[in-house]
């Protein structure tokens, strides 16, 4: 920066040091008209005209120091010392003051939270995240100067934390960036790399992973050979894990060397070649579709008078190559029938879902068979886990682990959006999106009523909390998986800043107008659910898509299922996602059972709010 003259009748963006301790620095950045300068002010010129660096410490003016910040946000940068190799964290707190809005005063606080959210996302954009203190402060000032005129003042506090650090990922790669601490000591630090949990990585053989594969394939049986070959594992080691799972009564052997997941109450499971004929009064009018084993157990816990039927289509009929897995992929079916309130329901579990053509085809075929078998079904629920879309500044809109997102329209009539393709341009990502909506929004209307009633009286016990507690009692004997809620301390919110690096962002705190969370009670959020194999891999793409379409959750590609629902002329459907991570629901295994149960509890609340069926 070079010294330059400047117009005193225009606002400048001025940085002023406010305070410093042994482990913290506080800086004030504000938009104001500066009447004069002295040798303690540095006036920028050229492309930085309009920016002033005040080297003199800030003092209170006109009582401004007594006005509290209107909003604050804190995030942590993971650091590692090149000299000591010790990991530390630095907390960076941003405190916002806003200019008075000339209109929309009734939505002023909501507008401020939206502005702060956009400001933060642009500040930590993976493309140009500032890797040193000078760049970090300069970017804040440039954003305030050119893009965020609603922000009148911003206080930045940088504080090295003393508590022990649990590194959330693998060790950092070689190479460090220099951070200048107020022209004093000059340590070398680098942000710690994030986990490499992307699609297609080599899977590490373990007993837990083998059980996960068996549960994912259920109701399709699998063989030891299938599992070993499909993951490039040693067959003898896989067989050893199968044997241990059998001894723990988690897996049972079938004919022709096949195995399947053993349910805790196998006496209720009937194996059939075809579904028995049912009287009209017992025909289900509601279908519930799950994809993961824990999701199926959670839904089953909500059902009364239940009976389960399993149809193994091709057991004993392997392909000519002996490949059992391919021969019966997507052909076995599990149906649990029973009652929820006044309604007859049927619940099924899809075979393995995900990003392969075979998985998507099998999911669509299973849905078509379900709706073909039970032709009186009028309403379809997709129930399970998903990844939440956090709001970093608005407590009311913030989606946390254990919360539940119900697919409802916001900016258009779409409740589910699938990103087929995306391209990067100078303006960001351009999307090709498939939109899905029911023709009858009755399930969404009931969901809205549930949320409004809960928000109007936050102290009252909502129905889904009652069903959640009942479900926990029902599943208390289910040792694996464990449906109890994980510690809230494990609800860590990370944001990618590019090249596998990340920062930890604090959850927003309640403001005066906030609807306080009830301890231990999942919060309902209403908004579209989105999906797409590209968005799973790219945090920035996912954030931009969520902002563009208003999505509050992502899941693991149910577009083929929804196309089958629409193809079978079902007018009412809804996706209910219990939040188990902040991506697409597949990453945080410890939250999946509880999140599944939370989603099932909200599902039961909606079903109990429906009118009793008349076609019996």
């Amino acid at each position: 920066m070079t010294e330059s003259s400047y117009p005193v009748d225009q606002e400048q963006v001025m940085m002023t040091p406010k305070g410093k301790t042994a482990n913290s620095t506080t800086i004030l950045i504000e938009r104001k008209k500066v009447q004069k300068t002295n040798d303690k002010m540095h006036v920028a010129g050229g492309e930085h005209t309009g920016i002033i660096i005040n080297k003199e410490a800030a003092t209170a003016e006109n009582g401004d120091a007594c006005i509290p910040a209107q909003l604050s946000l804190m995030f942590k940068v993971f650091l590692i010392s090149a000299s000591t190799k010790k990991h530390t964290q630095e907390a960076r707190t941003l405190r916002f003051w806003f200019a008075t809005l000339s209109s929309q005063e009734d939505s002023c606080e909501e507008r401020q939270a939206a502005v702060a959210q956009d400001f933060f996302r642009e500040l930590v954009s993976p493309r140009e995240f500032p890797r040193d203190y000078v760049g970090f402060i300069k970017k804040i000032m440039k954003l305030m100067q050119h893009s965020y005129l609603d922000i009148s003042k911003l206080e930045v506090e940088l504080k090295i934390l003393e508590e022990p650090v649990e590194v959330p990922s693998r060790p950092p790669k070689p190479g460090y960036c220099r951070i200048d601490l107020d022209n004093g000591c000059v340590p070398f630090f680098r942000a710690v790399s994030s986990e490499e949990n992307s699609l297609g990585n080599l899977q590490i053989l373990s007993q837990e992973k083998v059980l996960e594969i068996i549960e994912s394939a259920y109701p399709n049986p699998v063989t030891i050979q299938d599992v070993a070959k499909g993951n490039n594992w040693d067959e003898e080691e896989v067989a050893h894990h199968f044997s241990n799972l059998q001894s723990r009564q988690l897996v049972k052997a079938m004919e022709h060397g096949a195995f399947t997941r053993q349910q805790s109450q196998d006496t209720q499971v009937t194996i059939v070649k075809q579904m028995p004929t049912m009287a009209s009064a017992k025909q289900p009018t509601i279908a519930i579709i799950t994809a993961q084993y824990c999701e199926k157990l959670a839904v089953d816990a909500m059902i009364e008078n239940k009976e389960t039927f399993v149809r193994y289509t091709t057991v004993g009929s392997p392909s000519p190559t002996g490949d059992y897995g391919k021969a019966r992929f997507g052909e076995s079916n599990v149906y649990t029938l029973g009652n929820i309130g006044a309604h007859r329901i049927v619940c099924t579990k899809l075979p393995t879902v995900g990003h392969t053509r075979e998985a998507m085809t099998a999911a669509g075929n299973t849905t078509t068979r379900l709706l073909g078998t039970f032709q009186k079904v009028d309403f379809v629920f997709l129930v399970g886990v998903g990844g939440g879309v956090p709001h970093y500044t608005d407590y009311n809109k913030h989606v946390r682990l254990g919360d539940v997102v119900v697919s409802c329209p916001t900016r258009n009539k779409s409740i589910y959006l699938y990103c087929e393709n995306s391209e990067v341009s100078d303006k960001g990502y351009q999307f090709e999106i498939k939109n899905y909506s029911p023709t009858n929004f009755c399930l969404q209307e009931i969901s809205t009523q549930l949320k409004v009633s809960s928000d109007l009286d936050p102290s009252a016990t909502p129905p889904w909390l009652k069903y959640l507690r009942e479900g926990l009692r029902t599943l208390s004997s289910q040792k694996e998986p464990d449906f109890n809620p994980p510690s809230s301390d494990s609800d860590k919110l990370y944001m990618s800043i590019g090249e596998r690096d990340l920062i930890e962002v604090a959850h927003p705190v309640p403001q005066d107008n906030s609807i306080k969370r009830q301890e231990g009670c999942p919060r309902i959020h209403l908004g579209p659910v989105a999906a797409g194999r590209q968005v799973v891999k790219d945090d920035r793409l996912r954030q931009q898509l969520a902002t563009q379409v208003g999505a509050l959750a992502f899941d693991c590609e149910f577009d083929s299922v929804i196309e089958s629902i629409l193809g079978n002329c079902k007018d009412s459907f809804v996706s209910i996602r219990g939040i188990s991570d902040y991506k697409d629901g597949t990453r945080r295994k410890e939250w999946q059972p509880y999140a599944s149960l939370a989603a099932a509890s909200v599902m039961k609340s909606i079903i109990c709010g429906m009118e009793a069926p008349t076609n019996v």
Side-chain angles (χ1 to χ4, degrees):
M1 295 184 182
T2 58
E3 298 292 340
S4 171
S5 61
Y6 63 96
V8 297
D9 60 337
Q10 294 183 10
E11 286 186 333
Q12 319 294 312
V13 174
M14 183 168 72
M15 185 198 81
T16 304
K18 188 174 181 180
K20 184 176 180 181
T21 67
N23 65 344
S24 70
T25 299
T26 304
I27 296 168
L28 185 65
I29 301 173
E30 55 189 330
R31 183 178 286 103
K32 62 190 302 184
K33 293 180 180 179
V34 182
Q35 300 300 321
K36 61 180 181 179
T37 61
N38 51 45
D39 58 358
K40 294 185 177 180
M41 284 189 180
H42 183 87
V43 181
E47 62 176 319
H48 302 299
T49 297
I51 288 179
I52 297 177
I53 308 299
N54 184 12
K55 301 177 183 178
E56 189 172 26
T59 57
E61 293 183 18
N62 302 322
D64 285 352
C66 299
I67 301 175
Q70 292 161 288
L71 195 149
S72 65
L73 182 152
M74 189 270 284
F75 65 99
K76 298 176 183 178
V77 180
F78 296 87
L79 308 171
I80 179 171
S81 168
S83 57
T84 65
K85 305 300 181 184
K86 291 183 178 180
H87 295 89
T88 58
Q89 279 185 309
E90 181 184 72
R92 298 184 179 183
T93 302
L94 308 178
R95 302 183 181 93
F96 295 84
W97 287 261
F98 297 89
T100 302
L101 299 175
S102 58
S103 62
Q104 297 180 326
E105 291 298 331
D106 56 338
S107 61
C108 179
E109 292 177 340
E110 184 175 337
R111 166 74 184 279
Q112 291 171 354
V115 169
Q117 166 109 330
D118 291 343
F119 178 90
F120 175 66
R121 281 180 168 168
E122 192 166 349
L123 175 65
V124 299
S125 168
R127 274 190 172 183
E128 47 186 19
F129 181 80
R131 300 285 173 165
D132 57 80
Y133 286 148
V134 172
F136 181 70
I137 298 301
K138 185 170 74 172
K139 187 171 182 180
I140 290 176
M141 298 179 74
K142 299 294 282 187
L143 289 175
M144 284 184 62
Q145 181 185 25
H146 297 296
S147 304
Y148 293 89
L149 303 182
D150 286 338
I151 301 174
S152 61
K153 184 166 61 174
L154 199 154
E155 184 178 275
V156 184
E157 181 183 5
L158 310 169
K159 185 177 182 180
I160 298 294
L161 302 178
E162 296 180 357
E163 65 261 27
V165 176
E166 290 187 12
V167 182
S169 57
R170 71 175 210 169
K173 297 179 296 183
Y176 299 88
C177 59
R178 175 170 172 161
I179 297 180
D180 191 341
L181 286 173
D182 263 15
N183 299 318
C185 61
V186 188
F188 288 79
F189 289 113
R190 184 189 185 282
V192 176
S193 301
S194 67
E195 60 187 15
E196 292 187 290
N197 204 0
S198 59
L199 298 174
N201 280 3
L202 181 66
Q203 300 289 350
I204 304 300
L205 174 59
S206 67
Q207 194 170 132
E208 290 71 23
K209 188 62 186 175
V210 170
L211 180 61
E212 179 185 325
I213 292 171
I214 296 170
E215 290 180 343
S216 180
Y218 180 85
N220 292 329
V222 297
T223 67
I224 293 172
Q225 293 77 15
D226 290 338
V227 174
K229 184 178 179 181
N231 296 276
N232 294 317
W233 290 337
D234 180 78
E235 193 171 310
E236 288 188 9
E237 290 185 39
V238 173
H240 175 71
H241 290 308
F242 267 76
S243 177
N244 286 339
L245 291 170
Q246 276 187 278
S247 65
R248 293 166 60 190
Q249 297 184 330
L250 297 175
V251 170
K252 67 177 181 179
M254 302 179 67
E255 295 179 341
H256 308 290
F259 294 81
T260 190
R261 183 62 158 91
Q262 179 170 325
Q263 299 187 35
S264 58
Q265 296 174 323
D266 267 345
T267 54
Q268 297 182 357
V269 178
T270 304
I271 298 176
V272 296
K273 292 184 178 180
Q274 62 181 18
M275 285 299 299
T277 302
M278 293 184 186
S280 179
K282 287 194 172 184
Q283 284 284 341
T285 58
I286 295 173
I288 303 167
I289 299 174
T290 64
Q292 297 196 42
Y293 187 75
C294 64
E295 298 170 353
K296 177 71 165 55
L297 293 181
V299 170
D300 287 354
M302 301 292 135
I303 302 173
E304 298 176 350
N305 307 316
K306 56 178 174 280
E307 2 174 35
T308 297
F309 300 90
V310 179
R311 183 171 64 92
Y312 297 113
T313 306
T314 59
V315 169
S317 302
S319 66
T321 61
D323 191 335
Y324 283 89
K326 290 184 179 179
R328 78 183 156 263
F329 193 104
E331 294 184 4
S332 297
N333 302 104
V334 56
Y335 300 123
T336 298
L337 294 104
N339 298 88
I340 294 181
H343 301 268
R344 285 288 293 173
I345 66 93
V346 57
C347 174
T348 193
K349 179 192 173 295
L350 299 173
T352 305
V353 296
H355 310 282
T356 66
R357 185 183 301 275
E358 292 84 358
M360 289 186 286
T361 300
N365 291 344
T366 300
T367 305
T368 299
R369 280 194 295 273
L370 166 73
L371 299 177
T373 303
F374 304 99
Q375 297 187 11
K376 285 196 173 184
V377 166
D378 293 319
F379 307 93
V380 183
F381 289 73
L382 309 179
V383 181
V385 298
V389 177
H391 199 296
Y392 302 107
T393 56
D394 193 324
Y395 178 87
N396 289 337
K397 293 182 178 180
H398 183 47
V399 179
R400 294 196 62 166
L401 300 188
D403 283 355
V404 178
V405 172
V406 182
S407 60
C408 292
T410 52
R411 298 172 190 175
N412 53 45
K413 291 187 177 181
S414 299
I415 68 167
Y416 194 90
L417 305 107
Y418 181 77
C419 177
E420 290 190 291
N421 294 296
S422 65
E423 295 182 358
V424 183
S425 66
D426 294 339
K427 298 181 179 179
Y429 287 94
Q430 303 296 317
F431 303 105
E432 290 183 18
I433 298 174
K434 290 193 295 186
N435 298 274
Y436 299 97
S437 291
T439 55
N440 185 335
F441 287 90
C442 62
L443 302 179
Q444 283 73 21
E445 290 168 0
I446 296 172
S447 306
T448 302
Q449 292 168 7
L450 287 170
K451 178 175 173 57
V452 170
S453 297
S454 177
D455 289 349
L456 288 175
D457 188 3
S459 62
T461 300
W464 62 87
L465 182 56
K466 172 189 172 185
Y467 301 140
L468 176 65
R469 290 169 175 168
E470 291 175 353
L472 284 171
R473 287 194 292 271
T474 300
L475 294 165
S476 60
S477 60
Q478 184 76 36
K479 295 181 180 179
E480 294 189 41
D482 181 3
F483 283 86
N484 289 299
S487 168
S488 58
D489 293 338
S490 66
D491 184 1
K492 301 292 187 182
L493 182 58
Y494 299 110
M495 174 183 271
S496 171
I497 55 174
E499 294 186 3
R500 298 197 303 256
D501 293 340
L502 52 78
I503 56 177
E504 180 184 348
V505 186
H507 296 285
V509 296
Q511 305 296 316
D512 293 338
N513 70 323
S514 297
I515 301 170
K516 303 298 189 296
R517 288 177 172 271
Q518 191 177 141
E519 184 68 26
C521 180
R523 174 172 284 184
I524 286 182
H525 303 270
L526 308 177
V529 175
R533 71 186 64 184
Q534 287 180 288
V535 300
V536 177
K537 303 177 183 180
D538 191 328
D539 287 350
R540 183 166 168 261
L541 185 155
R542 189 168 56 255
Q543 291 169 10
Q544 186 174 323
L545 177 62
T547 301
Q548 181 173 315
V549 303
L552 295 184
F554 288 88
D555 68 22
C556 194
E557 300 195 42
F558 283 84
D559 56 311
S560 60
V561 174
I562 295 177
E563 286 180 355
S564 175
I565 294 170
L566 294 172
N568 281 274
C569 301
K570 305 305 175 184
D571 296 335
S572 300
F573 67 90
V574 66
S575 177
I576 304 174
R577 297 290 121 192
I579 303 306
S580 61
D581 61 30
Y582 294 106
K583 287 196 173 182
D584 68 345
T586 63
R587 266 68 179 174
R588 299 292 297 277
K589 300 299 181 184
E590 70 271 29
W591 276 91
Q592 287 179 355
Y594 176 76
S596 299
L597 191 60
S601 303
V602 171
M603 171 208 72
K604 184 170 182 176
S605 301
I606 296 172
I607 292 175
C608 290
M610 297 169 61
E611 295 183 1
T614 58
N615 60 337
V616 294

